[in-house]
Amino acid sequence: MSIWWSLQLRREASSVPLARRLLLGAMESAGVDADITHELCVALTEACANAVQHGGGEAAVYRVTASIDGDVCRIEVVDSGPGFPADPPGPRRESHALAPGGRGLRLIEALSDAARFGNHPGGGGAVVSFDKILKWRQDAALLKAS
């Protein structure tokens, strides 16, 4: 069994806890292990905070999509800002990630099993996508429904 949901949120700080609560509720209802749920929620919070802070452009919204397919949860956050700068050769990515306020992407990488950072085709904003292998509680509703 699989589930999927998508939100379009205003680029306002108040949207970040809303996205987190919706993900928390979905994971708890599905029966995902509490530690995995917490890690997903922290990673989502970082991705949404980046979209709110850096996802400018003409649109005042960003999109969050989450899906569970089997034992994998995939989350994608897309904004309409300038996107990520092209990485020049060398250690720039490492030094940028450690700059003040630049730890969010590293945290997403650390909390997920696979993370991807790129730009929407045609220069339409940044795309942050990450996957997490799920662990289930004994009473997992999603497993019982399968």
Side-chain angles (χ1 to χ4, degrees):
M1 177 175 225
S2 65
I3 61 172
W4 175 90
W5 55 262
S6 185
L7 303 169
Q8 181 169 296
L9 299 164
R10 292 188 60 79
R11 262 189 54 241
E12 298 172 351
S14 61
S15 70
V16 177
L18 173 61
R20 183 181 173 124
R21 281 192 301 269
L22 289 169
L23 179 63
L24 176 64
M27 295 297 112
E28 286 179 345
S29 295
V32 175
D33 173 79
D35 291 338
I36 298 295
T37 296
H38 176 73
E39 291 172 357
L40 280 167
C41 285
V42 172
L44 175 65
T45 298
E46 291 297 328
C48 290
N50 282 344
V52 167
Q53 184 176 1
H54 304 292
E58 294 183 23
V61 297
Y62 66 101
R63 188 181 73 237
V64 176
T65 304
S67 64
I68 295 176
D69 189 13
D71 289 338
V72 177
C73 178
R74 173 168 288 169
I75 296 175
E76 181 178 84
V77 178
V78 179
D79 66 42
S80 58
F84 292 103
D87 273 340
R92 182 187 181 288
R93 179 177 173 171
E94 192 70 31
S95 63
H96 174 71
L98 297 176
R103 293 181 184 89
L105 299 181
R106 282 287 189 220
L107 190 54
I108 293 168
E109 286 179 322
L111 293 172
S112 65
D113 293 307
R116 294 159 301 283
F117 310 109
N119 294 323
H120 202 278
V127 178
V128 174
S129 178
F130 53 95
D131 299 345
K132 183 77 173 172
I133 297 171
L134 302 176
K135 294 180 186 171
W136 303 95
R137 296 189 321 254
Q138 291 274 3
D139 64 341
L142 197 58
L143 291 180
K144 291 179 183 179
S146 298

